[in-house]
């Protein structure tokens, strides 16, 4: 199972379309906030994909939840934009929340800085900001052999 992880598209609907189209094997798209309206158009363009999303601090008036959890192929994924856990000042509270939920993978955005790390049994990913010439996104592959995470630069 391939999962495409994006965040902080901030109105770059064309960029989001381009990234989704470039990953045809991705069955699930997780958007981590600050781009709720960007995702809406993609749901119609890619009806075969599952879309999961949370609101970001710039998704004004959004009714989306601030956090989400989903079980995919037996792997528990916890995801949030990150502002409610103040991730710009560190990820301790965010990681603690993920561990309390017994997550295998924890996803966050908000900082616009990409990272993919494995710490004490938890895969942690921030795909960075999709928007702009230095944009990036994440890929997660869940296989019988294990979990693989990658950050892809859009350059």
């Amino acid at each position: 199972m391939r999962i495409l992880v994006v965040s902080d598209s901030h109105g770059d609907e064309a960029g989001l379309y381009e990234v989704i189209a470039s990953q045809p094997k991705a069955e699930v798209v997780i958007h981590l906030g600050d781009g709720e309206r960007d995702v809406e158009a993609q749901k119609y363009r890619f009806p075969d994909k599952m879309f999961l999303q949370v609101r970001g601090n710039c998704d004004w008036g959004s009714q989306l939840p601030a956090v989400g959890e989903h079980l995919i192929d037996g792997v528990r994924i916890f995801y949030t934009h990150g502002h409610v856990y103040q991730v710009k000042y560190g990820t301790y509270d965010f990681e603690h929340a993920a561990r309390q939920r017994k997550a295998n993978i924890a996803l966050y955005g908000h900082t616009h800085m990409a990272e993919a790390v494995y710490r004490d049994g938890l895969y942690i990913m921030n795909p960075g900001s999709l928007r702009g010439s230095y944009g990036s996104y994440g890929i997660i592959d869940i296989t019988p052999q294990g979990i693989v995470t990658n950050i892809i630069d859009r350059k």
Side-chain angles (χ1 to χ4, degrees):
M1 167 76 67
R2 176 163 283 185
I3 302 166
L4 171 62
V5 184
V6 297
S7 188
D8 298 277
S9 51
H10 291 285
D12 189 359
E13 184 182 317
L16 182 57
Y17 171 80
E18 176 186 300
V19 166
I20 296 170
S22 76
Q23 293 294 328
K25 292 182 182 176
E27 297 176 49
V28 178
V29 177
I30 301 176
H31 194 292
L32 301 174
D34 285 355
E36 177 179 3
R37 289 185 180 96
D38 305 334
V39 176
E40 290 308 310
Q42 307 318 316
K43 290 178 180 178
Y44 297 104
R45 292 179 177 143
F46 300 96
D48 57 324
K49 297 189 185 301
M50 176 191 301
F51 286 84
L52 304 172
Q53 60 187 126
V54 290
R55 74 174 179 268
N57 61 302
C58 293
D59 289 321
W60 298 288
S62 174
Q63 298 300 307
L64 291 171
V67 299
E69 281 184 65
H70 203 80
L71 193 65
I72 298 176
D73 289 350
V75 174
R76 182 168 304 284
I77 301 172
F78 171 67
Y79 54 101
T80 186
H81 183 63
H83 63 295
V84 296
Y85 294 100
Q86 295 84 34
V87 296
K88 286 188 177 182
Y89 303 104
T91 59
Y92 177 83
D93 291 341
F94 163 70
E95 288 182 42
H96 181 71
R99 292 179 193 285
Q100 281 186 313
R101 290 169 171 82
K102 302 200 182 320
N104 306 101
I105 300 172
L107 307 172
Y108 73 102
H110 190 50
T111 68
H112 294 207
M113 298 182 65
E115 81 163 337
V117 297
Y118 179 77
R119 195 166 21 250
D120 298 323
L122 182 63
Y123 291 89
I124 302 163
M125 176 187 279
N126 180 332
S129 174
L130 182 73
R131 184 178 177 95
S133 59
Y134 293 102
S136 60
Y137 61 94
I139 296 292
I140 300 170
D141 287 307
I142 300 173
T143 71
Q145 293 77 28
I147 298 169
V148 178
T149 61
N150 285 296
I151 300 293
I152 311 289
D153 290 328
R154 287 186 60 205
K155 296 178 191 176

